[in-house]
Amino acid sequence: MFIDIAKIKVKAGDGGDGAVAFHREKYVASGGPDGGDGGRGGDIVFRVDDNLSTLADFRYKRKYTAERGENGRGKRCFGKSAQPLVITVPRGTLIRNAETGRIMADMSTDEDVVIAKGGRGGWGNTHFASPTRQTPRFAKPGTPGEAFELQLELKLLADVGLVGFPNVGKSTLVSVVSEAKPNIANYHFTTITPVLGVVHMPNAPSFVMADIPGLIEGAWQGVGLGHQFLRHVERCRMLIHIVDVSGSEGRDPKEDFRIINEELRKFNPDLANRPMLVAGNKCDLTTDEQVEDFRKFVEEQGYEFFPIMAAIRYDVDPLLNKTAELLSTLPPVAHFEPEPEPVKPVEEFSSKAKVDIRVEDNVYFVEADWLLKLISAVDFDDYESLQYFQRVLIHTGVIDALREAGIQEGDTVSMYDLEFDFVN
């Protein structure tokens, strides 16, 4: 079964906890703290697998959780970091944040992409030793790993997309110019999944042709097979619009041409400007006058027209030659760039956000789920970003909560993997 959209949940591994331990050795007095740090949690990594062609596997497994990092131990032994959890997807898969719709990755290259980062390991009590705190009896827990609900969307990578009404000959054309073997029959929607075929040219580079299942009026709103397959047209470098010029099914070829172009424009306005050739199929079922009339109609709109008989491969080569010529001048297959996490305005944070504060030897540990997300989005080397972070702490009441907990000038504030001295 061809599945090209799926929703899953991923959770990177939490970091291991730091250890509270003290050095114990014969003849060594007051050995001091020697608790090791926790290990890092496993990342969630996506990888392209060219042996996959659909997202069907994600129908049966929807939750993916990476392993947690090991806790630290005594003798300054660090916990072992967990291995990343690798999830394989077909080439061309687009990964979005299901909650916001933000594009997180486009899996169209061979590079692995880390979607969710594992939590950092907590510090052992060794880090908290100071001249005034020689026996710290506390350590930091590991930070939670990132978690997301993801929308996976497969957009096939093809150079040329065949579009047109059902039963106009798209599958027939793919079958005669490539090794692809799509289902071919004299009824509508014979093709219910996109079919890819590689077209080998004698004096030009080969290219990939995609047979997009038949479109009908209202496809952009989901009518028929609708936008279930229109998304696969978006990556095509150019289009070949196939029209039944004979009107063998009682439709007007000119109206067919107009309807499909309008459906493409409504689905994605960029498709209206995509380079397109027009192939008039089933010329043997009509008169030369009707073919020439349709040619004039197409050329008046700025498109090149190629009359063909796909079933017997008649006059298909001129169409392929022109396609190869156009492709040599066009940019590569479209690649979607990841979108940055939007910066949330300070005013959108709750003025009474919930935080947990605990105190250990004048170290104030501040924890909250929303605070962890905020820290991961702030660049502390950038002055404006740092000022934004400070404004959020004031607006949400974190600073007031620290004062109520008894913090004094110079006391240490610890927020996950961030640590600073408090200044009034």
Side-chain angles (χ1 to χ4, degrees):
M1 182 178 292
F2 183 81
I3 304 296
D4 60 356
I5 194 165
K7 186 176 288 187
I8 63 173
K9 293 182 178 180
V10 298
K11 170 72 168 67
D14 297 338
D17 297 336
V20 177
F22 296 91
H23 188 70
R24 294 289 183 268
E25 186 177 348
K26 194 175 183 180
Y27 306 121
V28 177
S30 302
D34 71 347
D37 299 346
R40 186 181 179 90
D43 297 331
I44 298 291
V45 177
F46 278 76
R47 177 177 297 165
V48 169
D49 184 349
D50 288 322
N51 293 318
L52 298 176
S53 58
T54 80
L55 301 175
D57 291 347
F58 299 103
R59 294 189 66 193
Y60 309 105
K61 185 176 181 181
R62 298 179 183 270
K63 294 183 179 180
Y64 295 82
T65 304
E67 292 184 356
R68 188 179 189 275
E70 287 187 356
N71 294 336
R73 295 184 293 276
K75 298 183 180 179
R76 304 195 180 192
C77 292
F78 286 14
K80 182 181 179 180
S81 294
Q83 292 297 313
L85 175 62
V86 178
I87 302 174
T88 56
V89 293
R91 189 178 298 274
T93 300
L94 205 62
I95 303 175
R96 296 180 184 269
N97 185 315
E99 295 180 2
T100 64
R102 178 175 67 92
I103 297 176
M104 303 180 71
D106 182 355
M107 303 303 298
S108 56
T109 66
D110 294 325
E111 295 181 7
D112 292 351
V113 178
V114 177
I115 291 296
K117 295 180 180 179
R120 295 185 182 181
W123 285 352
N125 66 338
T126 307
H127 291 272
F128 300 98
S130 68
T132 58
R133 190 193 301 123
Q134 298 184 3
T135 57
R137 299 185 181 278
F138 60 90
K140 270 190 177 182
T143 60
E146 293 180 327
F148 298 103
E149 185 174 16
L150 303 176
Q151 180 94 0
L152 307 183
E153 187 177 326
L154 178 58
K155 292 179 183 284
L156 293 179
L157 300 174
D159 298 297
V160 182
L162 303 182
V163 296
F165 265 82
N167 209 29
V168 295
K170 299 186 298 298
S171 298
T172 302
L173 180 61
V174 170
S175 68
V176 300
V177 302
S178 73
E179 297 298 321
K181 302 298 179 187
N183 292 327
I184 300 174
N186 189 26
Y187 56 84
H188 288 191
F189 300 111
T190 312
T191 303
I192 58 174
T193 65
V195 176
L196 296 180
V198 180
V199 181
H200 296 282
M201 301 294 292
N203 300 312
S206 60
F207 56 87
V208 178
M209 180 179 286
D211 172 13
I212 308 299
L215 306 176
I216 60 176
E217 189 169 10
W220 73 281
Q221 295 176 314
V223 178
L225 296 178
H227 47 61
Q228 180 180 356
F229 297 118
L230 269 171
R231 69 173 63 91
H232 298 296
V233 183
E234 289 185 287
R235 284 197 194 264
C236 295
R237 300 166 64 194
M238 62 170 290
L239 304 176
I240 295 179
H241 190 158
I242 300 183
V243 181
D244 176 3
V245 293
S246 70
S248 61
E249 298 194 349
R251 296 192 310 268
D252 181 1
K254 296 179 181 178
E255 186 65 11
D256 283 2
F257 183 77
R258 184 195 64 77
I259 289 174
I260 295 300
N261 283 353
E262 185 66 11
E263 292 302 314
L264 295 174
R265 185 191 65 77
K266 288 178 179 178
F267 179 75
N268 184 343
D270 290 341
L271 293 177
N273 300 320
R274 197 69 50 87
M276 178 188 291
L277 300 178
V278 182
N281 193 27
K282 303 185 182 180
C283 293
D284 53 326
L285 302 181
T286 188
T287 64
D288 292 342
E289 290 77 12
Q290 189 170 343
V291 173
E292 288 305 312
D293 180 61
F294 187 73
R295 177 197 295 274
K296 182 179 179 182
F297 167 76
V298 168
E299 292 178 347
E300 285 176 350
Q301 299 183 55
Y303 299 104
E304 288 193 61
F305 178 72
F306 296 84
I308 63 172
M309 302 177 201
I312 59 174
R313 212 181 190 280
Y314 178 79
D315 269 359
V316 168
D317 287 339
L319 174 65
L320 296 182
N321 292 334
K322 186 61 180 180
T323 300
E325 179 186 334
L326 270 179
L327 288 174
S328 67
T329 65
L330 296 177
V333 175
H335 180 84
F336 295 85
E337 294 297 328
E339 298 171 354
E341 185 78 39
V343 177
K344 186 176 180 180
V346 174
E347 295 74 18
E348 291 188 10
F349 287 90
S350 172
S351 58
K352 294 183 179 179
K354 183 180 179 181
V355 293
D356 295 323
I357 298 177
R358 58 186 177 87
V359 185
E360 299 276 0
D361 288 350
N362 292 329
V363 177
Y364 289 75
F365 292 89
V366 183
E367 296 179 356
D369 290 341
W370 65 268
L371 190 58
L372 180 62
K373 294 180 181 179
L374 173 67
I375 292 173
S376 63
V378 171
D379 179 6
F380 291 97
D381 293 328
D382 180 74
Y383 178 75
E384 290 185 2
S385 186
L386 181 59
Q387 291 294 306
Y388 166 79
F389 178 69
Q390 292 175 344
R391 290 197 303 272
V392 172
L393 294 186
I394 294 171
H395 177 76
T396 54
V398 173
I399 299 301
D400 290 339
L402 285 169
R403 290 193 178 110
E404 290 176 6
I407 196 168
Q408 300 295 320
E409 181 97 14
D411 287 346
T412 301
V413 179
S414 178
M415 297 179 180
Y416 297 102
D417 53 353
L418 175 66
E419 197 168 281
F420 58 89
D421 293 336
F422 184 79
V423 178
N424 260 317

